[in-house]
Amino acid sequence: MQFEYFNPTQLVFGAGSLVRLGKLAQQYGQRALIVTGGGSVKRNGTFDRAVKSLTDAGVAVFECDGVEPNPRITSVKRGADLARAHQCDLIIALGGGSTMDAAKVMAAAALYEGDPWDMIIHGQPDPYVPTQALPLITVPTLAATGSEMNCGAVISNEDTKEKSFIHNACLFPKVALLDPELTLSVPKDQTAYGVCDLITHITESYLNGATNTPIQDRFAESVILTAMEYGVKAIADGSDLEARSQVQWAATLALNGWVNSGSGGAGFPVHMIEHTISAYHDITHAVGLAIVNPAWMRFATRQNPRKFVQFAERIFGLTAKNPDDVDCALAGIDRFEAFLKSIGCPTRLSEVGINDGLLETYAKETLRIIHDENGNLPAKPAMTEADIIAVLRAAL
Ligand code: NZQ
Ligand code: ZN
């Protein structure tokens, strides 16, 4: 198998490392736009500590607050306007994946005269491909997306009911500053959703049909097992810094390109379907994943059971009768769904108030935004419109 790995982001990890923000920022700019979400960083003191570190290092601070979960293109435009108005030469994201994603696109949009929605892949014939962005530093306060150390961002357009992505090397953060202490205040539900999100980032590549990837498989299993073990501890006791640290490292590793190098090329079908659901219903990303992933697994395992059997054996300790033992594979998926439930994730559309009224629309929209040359959703196996509807029906 041929693959490339590229990740230029400097990773700084450790409890208490927020104090280093100013010195790190100083290397990239003197006028920083600090981007935040709905106020958690103000309430828990993180914002003030970040500003102090920056001003102590001589970096002027301007603010863009109020980025919403499932960040909107309107917030991206507002932030890009603020960056231009204050002549910022650096963007700092202080928050969860939504804040980091919005900040990433702001960094490119600040240097682009057109509409930043042009950059988001949403079925347009000729998406704008940015080649430059302001330098960006990410400081995640929630362990979940891995956005801190990758070049992807997911943005919603509330007017058109679309949620989709950009993936571009110019969006790699210069530095990802990971201080697990900043995640101690994350409530139980968001902690659990973060665990679900990071595990799904792994399963999207691990279960995509690639074979002969023993090193990647064992990395993947290590991240899943660690996230499950320490995720449960972090949910039980949010002040457990050791558990928070392990979960945060797992989240970053799950989507910084390393674990899925050589096995992640088939597409992210669960994410693509989930994005459409949250575009229509503004549900929490990982809630949508917890609903779609087990249903997708049951669909995919019948055509491609081997890796699912391995998943059942190595993650849940089940014993297969043979390498293609579909019953064992399905039992592993049942155990996975039970784990998601046990940490508090809904696993059915009906639990979040979604019925079967728009299943066809969700499938068509997912395929309009991303499809292969045959018009199907890139995945192994590739998914037709009928397949997507069947998976969603199974998830009702
Ligand atoms: O907005 P604030 O007030 O900060 O509160 C947030 C928000 O309500 C809260 N929170 C964050 N840190 C906290 C905290 N509360 C207390 N203490 C803290 N330390 O948590 C809530 C959720 O935040 P959000 O940023 O929305 O969550 P998450 O990190 O899960 O990000 C989800 C977004 O990332 C996208 C998703 O689609 C979704 O839009 N994704 C981005 C990816 C990427 N760039 O690589 C990949 C992912 O698959 C995902 O699609
Ligand atoms: Zn995700």
Side-chain angles (χ1 to χ4, degrees), residues 144-146 154 193-194 196-198 200-201 204 255 268 271 274-275 285-286 289:
T145 61
V154 184
Y193 301 154
C196 171
D197 190 24
L198 86 87
T200 311
H201 295 156
E204 290 265 41
L255 204 59
F268 262 45
H271 273 71
E274 189 288 321
H275 287 170
H285 171 58
L289 298 177

Side-chain angles (χ1 to χ4, degrees), residues 117-186:
W117 188 243
D118 300 344
M119 302 181 199
I120 308 298
I121 312 291
H122 60 275
Q124 72 274 52
D126 195 12
Y128 172 71
V129 180
T131 53
Q132 52 175 357
L134 291 175
L136 169 73
I137 295 179
T138 50
V139 186
T141 61
L142 193 163
T145 61
S147 179
E148 58 272 13
M149 201 181 168
N150 68 38
C151 67
V154 184
I155 303 294
S156 295
N157 185 330
E158 61 274 32
D159 293 335
T160 58
K161 284 194 166 44
E162 290 171 300
K163 172 177 174 176
S164 191
F165 63 94
I166 174 173
H167 197 260
N168 184 298
C170 76
L171 301 186
F172 272 115
K174 296 290 182 205
V175 182
L177 176 56
L178 274 63
D179 180 346
E181 283 180 1
L182 307 186
T183 69
L184 293 174
S185 56
V186 177

Side-chain angles (χ1 to χ4, degrees), residues 36-343:
T36 63
S40 69
V41 294
K42 301 274 176 70
R43 292 189 290 278
N44 60 29
T46 299
F47 181 78
D48 289 344
R49 289 169 55 216
V51 170
K52 180 171 185 332
S53 176
L54 289 163
T55 48
D56 285 354
V59 178
V61 176
F62 305 89
E63 193 192 346
C64 172
D65 63 4
V67 172
E68 48 287 292
N70 293 328
R72 298 176 178 183
I73 195 68
T74 45
S75 293
V76 171
K77 289 179 189 164
R78 181 167 56 84
D81 288 345
L82 284 168
R84 279 192 288 259
H86 295 299
Q87 297 175 310
C88 293
D89 51 10
L90 171 66
I91 308 277
I92 296 175
L94 185 64
S98 297
T99 298
M100 292 188 282
D101 284 5
K104 275 182 186 168
V105 187
M106 285 174 200
L111 303 179
Y112 175 55
E113 296 296 322
D115 182 343
W117 188 243
D118 300 344
M119 302 181 199
I120 308 298
I121 312 291
H122 60 275
Q124 72 274 52
D126 195 12
Y128 172 71
V129 180
T131 53
Q132 52 175 357
L134 291 175
L136 169 73
I137 295 179
T138 50
V139 186
T141 61
L142 193 163
T145 61
S147 179
E148 58 272 13
M149 201 181 168
N150 68 38
C151 67
V154 184
I155 303 294
S156 295
N157 185 330
E158 61 274 32
D159 293 335
T160 58
K161 284 194 166 44
E162 290 171 300
K163 172 177 174 176
S164 191
F165 63 94
I166 174 173
H167 197 260
N168 184 298
C170 76
L171 301 186
F172 272 115
K174 296 290 182 205
V175 182
L177 176 56
L178 274 63
D179 180 346
E181 283 180 1
L182 307 186
T183 69
L184 293 174
S185 56
V186 177
K188 277 186 197 301
D189 58 350
Q190 291 293 342
T191 305
Y193 301 154
V195 170
C196 171
D197 190 24
L198 86 87
I199 292 175
T200 311
H201 295 156
I202 297 286
T203 59
E204 290 265 41
S205 53
Y206 180 84
L207 299 173
N208 80 350
T211 53
N212 300 327
T213 52
I215 292 180
Q216 299 315 120
D217 288 358
R218 289 186 170 97
F219 282 148
E221 289 150 7
S222 156
V223 176
I224 294 172
L225 289 166
T226 304
M228 289 173 68
E229 179 180 345
Y230 289 92
V232 167
K233 291 180 181 172
I235 293 162
D237 175 8
S239 68
D240 182 340
L241 183 60
E242 170 66 15
R244 292 288 194 183
S245 303
Q246 300 301 342
V247 174
Q248 184 155 39
W249 183 217
T252 301
L253 276 173
L255 204 59
N256 72 354
W258 182 247
V259 174
N260 56 18
S261 285
S263 65
F268 262 45
V270 176
H271 273 71
M272 295 305 127
I273 297 169
E274 189 288 321
H275 287 170
T276 304
I277 307 288
S278 40
Y280 274 74
H281 300 281
D282 202 13
I283 60 170
T284 299
H285 171 58
V287 168
L289 298 177
I291 292 166
V292 177
N293 203 13
W296 172 80
M297 288 178 168
R298 291 187 181 101
F299 158 80
T301 192
R302 293 181 192 283
Q303 298 174 58
N304 176 28
R306 283 203 175 198
K307 200 59 85 57
F308 289 90
V309 170
Q310 183 175 305
F311 179 74
E313 291 197 310
R314 296 193 188 171
I315 303 297
F316 293 106
L318 303 182
T319 305
K321 291 192 210 73
N322 59 64
D324 296 307
D325 182 352
V326 173
D327 290 340
C328 177
L330 290 171
I333 298 166
D334 290 346
R335 293 281 288 272
F336 178 59
E337 184 174 351
F339 168 77
L340 293 174
K341 282 186 184 170
S342 75
I343 60 171

